[in-house]
C-alpha cells in the first residue's frame, strides 16, 4: 500500500515579500507550503533558491502513520537491554573504537565526551550507520510542521534544512533519514547540524550520512552543547543495602556519591566520584539492578526522552569501556499494559498527575507510584507490582 500523497505544488513567490508571521499549521498542504516559502523569502532567503527548495515537497502519509504509532520502550529494563546489547554490537563497537581511535581522541580532548558514549548512540541509532532511514527528510519535516501535533518543533527544522541546502549540505530530493527528520549515523536534526555540525574529515562539508568522523565529531559537539561535563562519569552500577530508605531513590533525590556511600551503597566496580552529586536508580525496584547516576546522565534525556532507552544507552557505554555485565537481581514481575492502565486510573482517581492513561511507566507514573507506596507502608522503590495494584 502506498501512503505518500503526491500533490502538485506550484510556488508563486514575491521577491519583495514583507516580513510574515509564523506560518500556521493545518489547512491545505499546498497552501501551507506556499506560505512557508513566502515566509522564507520574508526572512531574507533568495526567492529562486526557496522555489527550488520547496518545489518538490510532498506530504508523506507514512510519516504521519509512524508518528501516530511510535514504538514505546515498554519492556522491563533488563529485557530491553538484553535485546539491544548483543555480543555482535559489543564486538563491532570495540572494533569501531580501534578503527576511529584518533577521532575519539580528538572528541575527548575537545568536548570531553568519552568514546563509549558516542559508540552506544551510534549503535542504537543506526547500527553503526547501517540503517539510517529512507524517508525523504524534507517531506518528513514539512509534513510534521503542517501537522498540528508539534509544529513548533518541526517548523524551525524546515528553515534549518533550507540553510543547509544553501550551504550545499542538503538535497530536497536526495537527503533521506528517519521519519521524524533526523539525518545521518547518529541521527541529528537539521538545526542541530547547523549549530553542532563538524567537518571531521576535512573535506569542506558536514556529511553525517557518509562520514563517520563528521558524524562522531558532530555528536560529541552536540553533547557538549547540551551540557556534558568533561571527563566526568555518567552511570555506575552499585549494590544497595537492604535497609536503604527507598523513598530517597529515583531522579528526585540527589546526594553526593560519598553520602550514598555513607548509607551503605557500594560500587560494583571502580570507585565513586565522591564529590559529585548523584541519584540512585532502581529501574525494576529494590530487588533488580541498581545504578548511581551522575550529572552527565541527565544529558541523555536531551537526546532521548525514554528512561529505559537512556539507561540502556548509558549502561552500554559502560560495557563498551570495559564494565562487567550488570547484576540482574530478582526483581518482582512488572505489570502488563492493561494492568498499568488500571493502576494509572486508580492513581489519577486519587489526585495524582500521571499524564495520559497509556499503560506506560513514565516519569509521572513512577513518581506517583513511589508516593503511594510510601503512604501505604510499602517499600517506596517506584516499581509498580501486582501487590501494589491489589492494595489499591
Amino acid at each position: 500500500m502506498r501512503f505518500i500523497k503526491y500533490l502538485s505544488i506550484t510556488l508563486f513567490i514575491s521577491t519583495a515579500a514583507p516580513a510574515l508571521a509564523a506560518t500556521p499549521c493545518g489547512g491545505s498542504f499546498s497552501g501551507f507550503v506556499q506560505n512557508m516559502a513566502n515566509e522564507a523569502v520574508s526572512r531574507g532567503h533568495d526567492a529562486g533558491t526557496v522555489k527550488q527548495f520547496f518545489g518538490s515537497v510532498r506530504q508523506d502519509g507514512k510519516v504521519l502513520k509512524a508518528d501516530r504509532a511510535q514504538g514505546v520502550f515498554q519492556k522491563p529494563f533488563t529485557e530491553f537491554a538484553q535485546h539491544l546489547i548483543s555480543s555482535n554490537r559489543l564486538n563491532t563497537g570495540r572494533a569501531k573504537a580501534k578503527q576511529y581511535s584518533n577521532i575519539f581522541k580528538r572528541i575527548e580532548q575537545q568536548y570531553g565526551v568519552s568514546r563509549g558514549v558516542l559508540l552506544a548512540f551510534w549503535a542504537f541509532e543506526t547500527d553503526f550507520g547501517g540503517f539510517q532511514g529512507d524517508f525523504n527528510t524534507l517531506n518528513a519535516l514539512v509534513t510534521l510542521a503542517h501537522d498540528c501535533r508539534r509544529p513548533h518543533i518541526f517548523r524551525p527544522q524546515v528553515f534549518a534544512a533550507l540553510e543547509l541546502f544553501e550551504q550545499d549540505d542538503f538535497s530536497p530530493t536526495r537527503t533521506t533519514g528517519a521519519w521524524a527528520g533526523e539525518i545521518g549515523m547518529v541521527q541529528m536534526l537539521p538545526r542541530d547540524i547547523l549549530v553542532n555540525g563538524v567537518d571531521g574529515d576535512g573535506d569542506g562539508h558536514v556529511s553525517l550520512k557518509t562520514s563517520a568522523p563528521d558524524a562522531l565529531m558532530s555528536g560529541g559537539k552536540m553533547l557538549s552543547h547540551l551540557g556534558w561535563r568533561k571527563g566526568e562519569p555518567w552511570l555506575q552500577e552499585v549494590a544497595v543495602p537492604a535497609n536503604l530508605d527507598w523513598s530517597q531513590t529515583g531522579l528526585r533525590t540527589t546526594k553526593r556519591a560519598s553520602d550514598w556511600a555513607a548509607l551503605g551503597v557500594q560500587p560494583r566496580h571502580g570507585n565513586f566520584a565522591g564529590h559529585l552529586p548523584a541519584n540512585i536508580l532502581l529501574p525494576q525496584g529494590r530487588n533488580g539492578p541498581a545504578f548511581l547516576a551522575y550529572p552527565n546522565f541527565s544529558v541523555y534525556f536531551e537526546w532521548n526522552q525514554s528512561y529505559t532507552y537512556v539507561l540502556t544507552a548509558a549502561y552500554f557505554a559502560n560495557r563498551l569501556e570495559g564494565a562487567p555485565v550488570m547484576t540482574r537481581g530478582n526483581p518482582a514481575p512488572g505489570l502488563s499494559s492493561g494492568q498499568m492502565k488500571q493502576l494509572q486510573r486508580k492513581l489519577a482517581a486519587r489526585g495524582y498527575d500521571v499524564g495520559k492513561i497509556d499503560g506506560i511507566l513514565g516519569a509521572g507514573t513512577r513518581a506517583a507510584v513511589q508516593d503511594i507506596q510510601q503512604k501505604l507502608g510499602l517499600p517506596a522503590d517506584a516499581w509498580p507490582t501486582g501487590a501494589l495494584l491489589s492494595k489499591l
Side-chain angles (χ1 to χ4, degrees), residues 48 254 315 326-327 374:
T254 303
Y315 165 64
M326 66 180 163
T327 300
Q374 195 168 18

Side-chain angles (χ1 to χ4, degrees), residues 13-25:
I13 300 172
S14 169
T15 57
L20 298 178
T23 303
C25 64

